[in-house]
Amino acid sequence: MNAPHDATAPLRFGSSDLSLPEELREPLRAHVDHLRKRYLARGWGGRVGFGDRPALLVIDMARFWLDDSQQIGSNLNAVMDGVVASLAAARAAEIPVIFTSYPFDPAAPPSPHDKKLNFQLPEDGAAMFDLDPRLERRPTEPLIRKRYASSFKGTNLSEMLSGLCVDTLIVVGISTSHCVYATCRDATDSYRVIVPQEAVGERCELLHEANLLDIDIDLGDVMPLAEVVAHLNGLAK
């Protein structure tokens, strides 16, 4: 990661009840930076860089996760700002843009994972998974409805990216520790993974920090949003 967090600053997003105590924030982030250096000393955490044909994947920017009055929602306005900036640069560069959300279906059969999270949704819960209008999704930008954390599992995302000859996947959205991480994990063996750090987030500060480090060390490049936008702006010229 090229520009570490201000170690004393709280996240500008998430749930207040899941944030780090102030006295732990600086030691944790200092330790994260220490771990990154130790991994680099072992030859782990190199840069993958951009390829020639990037695409932008926008993960789960829907009300269920963005509305802090919802069961697992939180204030993610700062993340939305980063996603919108990523979208503007991607559209100007005319690279593929793909969205994901959840296919709410009360008739879907149960799975063991249902025991981990007891969904609390109204009968008309499908609207909770509509994309936020601030994204201004265009008719030419596909929307994948996925049942699992990874955007690849049980979807045609891989075939879609192959058909577009994509070699670099810019991943933005939520949540860092769940769908963003799982997608990066599944993408890393086939694509150069780029994560703009201000364009991903989640409800829990500790999980965000730990998983962002893991992505940066093992799966792709976590970069300042400004650097990703600058790269895309270069493609638009």
Side-chain angles (χ1 to χ4, degrees):
M1 193 184 298
N2 299 316
H5 292 296
D6 175 351
T8 62
L11 289 180
R12 296 180 299 132
F13 57 83
S15 297
S16 59
D17 61 326
L18 299 177
S19 64
L20 282 169
E22 290 189 12
E23 64 271 18
L24 295 182
R25 183 170 292 115
E26 183 174 358
L28 172 70
R29 292 185 179 167
H31 184 58
V32 165
D33 288 339
H34 172 74
L35 288 175
R36 183 178 293 108
K37 292 173 183 175
R38 298 316 307 156
Y39 270 103
L40 288 171
R42 293 170 179 243
W44 201 345
R47 302 296 84 186
V48 299
F50 286 91
D52 297 322
R53 296 183 66 88
L56 179 69
L57 180 65
V58 182
I59 298 179
D60 295 355
M61 297 297 287
R63 182 183 170 194
F64 184 65
W65 297 280
L66 297 172
D67 183 345
D68 59 10
S69 70
Q70 298 303 314
Q71 179 187 12
I72 59 172
S74 59
N75 179 357
L76 294 164
N77 288 331
V79 177
M80 176 63 78
D81 291 343
V83 171
V84 169
S86 301
L87 279 167
R91 288 163 176 161
E94 298 183 342
I95 68 169
V97 174
I98 301 169
F99 294 89
T100 75
S101 190
Y102 180 76
F104 175 75
D105 181 0
S111 77
H113 186 262
D114 293 342
K115 295 183 181 296
K116 300 300 293 183
L117 174 63
N118 179 21
F119 270 124
Q120 298 171 12
L121 290 170
E123 290 185 5
D124 59 348
M128 301 296 297
F129 300 98
D130 290 341
L131 295 181
D132 191 288
R134 289 173 287 182
L135 301 171
E136 298 182 346
R137 176 184 166 234
R138 298 177 178 181
T140 55
E141 296 169 347
L143 170 60
I144 294 173
R145 296 280 184 176
K146 61 182 181 66
R147 288 197 57 81
Y148 306 101
S150 172
S151 301
F152 289 92
K153 184 176 179 180
T155 75
N156 66 336
L157 177 59
S158 182
E159 290 80 3
M160 193 180 296
L161 296 175
S162 294
L164 293 166
C165 299
V166 167
D167 63 4
T168 303
L169 195 61
I170 303 170
V171 180
V172 300
I174 52 181
S175 297
T176 314
S177 66
H178 199 57
C179 296
V180 170
Y181 180 86
T183 297
C184 291
R185 170 62 65 189
D186 281 354
T188 190
D189 292 321
S190 301
Y191 306 96
R192 299 168 185 250
V193 175
I194 305 292
V195 177
Q197 65 186 31
E198 297 93 338
V200 295
E202 69 158 74
R203 64 199 69 82
C204 177
E205 187 173 358
L206 178 60
L207 292 180
H208 171 78
E209 294 287 352
N211 283 273
L212 206 61
L213 173 66
D214 196 352
I215 291 169
D216 194 47
I217 294 299
D218 196 38
L219 306 180
D221 295 354
V222 178
M223 302 172 59
L225 173 62
E227 292 186 14
V228 177
V229 168
H231 178 83
L232 294 177
N233 287 345
L235 299 180
K237 294 178 181 178

